[in-house]
Amino acid sequence: MKRVFVRGGALVAIGLAAVAGGLALGQGDNWFPSRWGAADQRGAANRLTPAKVLEAKNLITKGNVYQLGRAYESAMPIFGTRHFSLRIPQVFGPLGSNKMMYHDEVVSGELGQIGTQFDGLGHIGIGDVFYNGNDRRDFAKAEGLAKLGVENVGAIVTRGVLVDVAGFKGVARLDGGYEITLADFQGALRKQGTEIHAGDIVLFHTGWGSLWMVDNAKFGANAPGIGLAVGQYLVDREIVMVDSDTWSMEVVPNPNPELQFPVHQLLIPRNGIYIFENLVTEELARDRVYEFAFFFGPLKLKGATGSPGNPLAIR
Amino acid sequence: MKRVFVRGGALVAIGLAAVAGGLALGQGDNWFPSRWGAADQRGAANRLTPAKVLEAKNLITKGNVYQLGRAYESAMPIFGTRHFSLRIPQVFGPLGSNKMMYHDEVVSGELGQIGTQFDGLGHIGIGDVFYNGNDRRDFAKAEGLAKLGVENVGAIVTRGVLVDVAGFKGVARLDGGYEITLADFQGALRKQGTEIHAGDIVLFHTGWGSLWMVDNAKFGANAPGIGLAVGQYLVDREIVMVDSDTWSMEVVPNPNPELQFPVHQLLIPRNGIYIFENLVTEELARDRVYEFAFFFGPLKLKGATGSPGNPLAIR
Amino acid sequence: MKRVFVRGGALVAIGLAAVAGGLALGQGDNWFPSRWGAADQRGAANRLTPAKVLEAKNLITKGNVYQLGRAYESAMPIFGTRHFSLRIPQVFGPLGSNKMMYHDEVVSGELGQIGTQFDGLGHIGIGDVFYNGNDRRDFAKAEGLAKLGVENVGAIVTRGVLVDVAGFKGVARLDGGYEITLADFQGALRKQGTEIHAGDIVLFHTGWGSLWMVDNAKFGANAPGIGLAVGQYLVDREIVMVDSDTWSMEVVPNPNPELQFPVHQLLIPRNGIYIFENLVTEELARDRVYEFAFFFGPLKLKGATGSPGNPLAIR
Amino acid sequence: MKRVFVRGGALVAIGLAAVAGGLALGQGDNWFPSRWGAADQRGAANRLTPAKVLEAKNLITKGNVYQLGRAYESAMPIFGTRHFSLRIPQVFGPLGSNKMMYHDEVVSGELGQIGTQFDGLGHIGIGDVFYNGNDRRDFAKAEGLAKLGVENVGAIVTRGVLVDVAGFKGVARLDGGYEITLADFQGALRKQGTEIHAGDIVLFHTGWGSLWMVDNAKFGANAPGIGLAVGQYLVDREIVMVDSDTWSMEVVPNPNPELQFPVHQLLIPRNGIYIFENLVTEELARDRVYEFAFFFGPLKLKGATGSPGNPLAIR
């Protein structure tokens, strides 16, 4: 049955069956209000607790830190007509008898949605309906989202799990358009001896990142990744975020040609689960770091849909 | 005696006595090559070791996370003619039968030098000479610094110390232009029962942050902070970074009216020590969190002078 | 009677009586399709003909050129949270044995709506309805307006008329909030001995421009200008554009406190008549140049709502 | 003989013979102070007089206006890592009982040096020496050029001449890298029956513009254009500006492989003559409009090196 709600005096029917493209998503259509209440703006970040911090802490045994963020530079692959520009202006100074001189930089771009990027809850909608039933026509303002802005997320410190699907499949890089199946996912975890816990972040290594600034056209043409089946499995495990070394996290194109980024919709608006894209996973896979402490403070860009970042994995 | 070196066939004398404004800075004028070698671009980040990570880890006992970054928004205080702009463009979509819709944001600004900001080694020079003797005319390029860019710094994970000077002085907020003396600094540490270790980051709470977006004109007119004396003391302790809840970290104006930001020069070019400004320190001071694990992954803005950030303090 | 039309399967009633704030606007509510056809995107620019060019040409008798555009600079008054940033990056080069070196500039801002600004037909709506009945939900796209973009306007070359209302009233500057009445308008024309012709552009000198970068707060707090009465009179004269030395062209606040920029709505969506703001009128008024040839080529910013400019008045 | 001058206490020798690549440029090396005095910042714009305006006026016989500017859009060819971004933010409003709604646009880019672009006197240097002997280290400031900014140029209203070299050579498009010879230039003028007058602007039609957004890679790889010989001829004719339908105006690569953009240096710093690039010339060539009135008001971007534009040709 469809959920029918009243907005602005008009009857609006959101056809959620269309969302799932015929798949049973396991939640029915009653996806809001969220399990964290009708006013919640943090979604699965509510699963982050001191206990998860301490669980993460206990994974740190060697003191090795991995930076998961890529460099932001004009030659990186960028989606569509987004852009990234950085320039160093003429030097300022000298000032004072101490000849103080300084540089700064002027940057422009779709900052939360280029390069290594963290997707907040204001990024993705099912039609006009976003996380917790918020209608974009109410909260999407020119000067920043009035709700669901990335500044609400808070710090993400928790246990992280790497799922080396490329390694499990015995390839350096999965093919573009390959959907990671539930069997792949569970097989990789079994091979690694890793479990998923509630409140974790889950990071997929597909090998796709090896194309970064090597063959940008190929990198952006499509991507391997999870589909709705693994997506729903992760939803049911009550994790916090799904990450990947691709630009899309999920498989592109979706095997169902009528669907565009359906896993984004399953995770973000329907379940408040975050996504992190274009992460560096090579070193974790090489060193077989399948469990780690994960640290990320999203930039508090007020009203933004996402954040750039350089998250840290430590063990 | 002045150091004289040959560059481009010309004799250039850098008057370092002028830098110090007559103070003995404790290093003489032979400040480069750096102690980490003539090719080094990371400065005091070289002090960050797995041992420091483990030292930090062991400070995490409760699992409480503090975000130290402020929100970036157009109403925040900004230095000079720098700017920050964020706009949410018209929505994209709907795409597919699943009605995928998405927002992004377009941002521009002097990104590493507005709001909460981390100063890299390419930010500050003594005349044209920067960290490790690099001449800005050689490495400052329009498309990004060819040396000393913030992408070289790496993750900063180490022990952090809060020095609550406002609390020590018994005030909510130090006065603008007040120089934190060595006696203040040591007294505050003694009162707190805190020591400084090599490889730490040191964070000053002055109370100045209470003016943020409350009285921007007053906030930016001047600031309390350390001077050359405490600066040199910290250099001698071999720390990694000095942080503060002010826009300048150091006292402004300097008591010596001929000097402009001399502590920046002492720390960054002469000693490779980083600076983090406009941090949120209220909550740490309130909770008496004087020691904590500190986590920061600078955005790898290739060739940038600094990075925005939302660093984390955990205990 | 209200116009009722069907869109997206829903009944939408646009209360145009509300637009007029109770005034009779002389057109009833049937303001679209436009007189230039339902597909037209140029509005009153259709009134620009070779004959108007020749009429303008014949006003050139001395060869004196007046630049009507102000300088764009960071200290200029700017509306709300819009911004203007210009930086000169580090120099490029030297290249070749000829030591080619060059600078460029990186600029960001709401370019068609800051400083001297030309308002196109995609700028202003009555609710969601824009010129020629176009619904913004159909044509307002993130990457540029799919209709009514400023690139459609074409060159504006025609006869220009200065109306020196300040001079007529015997003041250097009209008061903020003063509505130029029909009597003022007609009296000023009579005093000058000037007529309005179909296809002209009409430029008001209020003296308000003397506050530009002298007292930005006062400049932006309100403004003198025309109201709906003079607006409708100009509509009936079939002119092409209304210009002014203020940021708003029309009187702000409107004497009817329920109305926000109603003259913008009367001119742009209802009648396809353009607006140019923040023009330099002092020199024309001083030299009593009440008729002139006017030249402006809007920047073809594809899909933009307006254009910056430096239009020329010649006689 | 080399010109030797003293700056900052050091001896600096500018090797101007190198500039010319062995050619006699007809001026010797004493190219500054300029003929318009040592303080001049307008160069050849000083040749623009009321008499030239009237000469231009008299070319207007039909009232036909040609827009010479191209559309600015993200798909246009752009040099190197420069960028152009335009986004329409979320709508503002509705405001008031009249439901005022409005859009604006946020734009960023190297605005004076992308797309249709007018090169000012601060754009090009011979080493560090710019027009009138100004040293870039003195006037190139982060917040804008302190001298030679485009705001100094003023209106450009004068006689324009189209030189249809493609038509003279009987081709639709000259080859990339083809240098227009003096014989080509004079032959085309003779065929057209056109003369060059002092104070004119001269616009070359090469047909290269037909590649615009059709084959951007080919468009930017090289270009046909004039070399030093025609450049010097035009200098001697005392014109104001040289324009073209290519991105470089001059031939690229220069036949002398040691030289990079030497005609830019000949015109801009040495002679104060302006350059306009990426103009639309097809329609003028098609209609055989070889003489026309030319109108351009450079955007007064304070301290900028150039200006975007949509100049007008009228006859």
Side-chain angles (χ1 to χ4, degrees), chain A residues 150-188:
Chain A
V150 76
E151 72 277 13
N152 297 297
V153 177
I156 298 180
V157 179
T158 189
R159 178 174 179 262
V161 169
L162 182 82
V163 186
D164 181 0
V165 183
F168 173 71
K169 302 291 282 188
V171 297
R173 185 173 68 228
L174 298 178
D175 288 335
Y178 178 77
E179 178 177 342
I180 297 170
T181 66
L182 206 47
D184 293 337
F185 176 65
Q186 293 175 320

Side-chain angles (χ1 to χ4, degrees), chain B residues 6 8 51 95 102 107 144 149 152 197 206 231 288 290:
Chain B
V6 175
L95 306 176
Y102 64 97
V107 175
N152 297 297
H197 302 169
T206 71
R288 304 186 181 207
Y290 301 126

Side-chain angles (χ1 to χ4, degrees), chain B residues 110-122:
Chain B
E110 284 75 7
L111 213 66
Q113 301 296 338
I114 52 173
T116 296
Q117 60 196 266
F118 169 82
D119 288 354
L121 301 182

Side-chain angles (χ1 to χ4, degrees), chain A residues 57 99 103 105 123 127 305, chain B residues 60 99 103 105 123 127 305:
Chain A
K57 166 201 167 182
K99 297 183 183 167
H103 299 124
E105 58 275 309
H123 181 41
T305 71
Chain B
I60 301 176
K99 297 182 183 168
H103 298 125
E105 59 275 309
H123 181 42
T305 71

Side-chain angles (χ1 to χ4, degrees), chain C residues 93-149:
Chain C
L95 305 176
S97 66
N98 55 324
K99 297 183 182 167
M100 166 74 177
M101 290 182 83
Y102 64 96
H103 299 125
D104 59 23
E105 57 276 309
V106 65
V107 174
S108 73
E110 283 76 7
L111 214 65
Q113 301 296 338
I114 52 174
T116 296
Q117 61 197 264
F118 169 82
D119 288 353
L121 301 183
H123 181 41
I124 298 288
I126 301 171
D128 288 317
V129 186
F130 280 59
Y131 173 72
N132 221 344
N134 288 291
D135 191 302
R136 61 165 300 281
R137 292 166 291 189
D138 294 330
F139 73 84
K141 303 297 182 189
E143 294 164 328
L145 305 176
K147 284 189 182 173
L148 308 185

Side-chain angles (χ1 to χ4, degrees), chain C residues 2 44 76 121 126 157 159 174 202 210 237 289 301 303:
Chain C
K2 293 186 183 180
M76 67 182 173
L121 301 183
I126 301 171
V157 179
R159 178 175 180 261
L174 298 178
V202 177
S210 61
R237 296 290 90 65
V289 178
L301 295 164

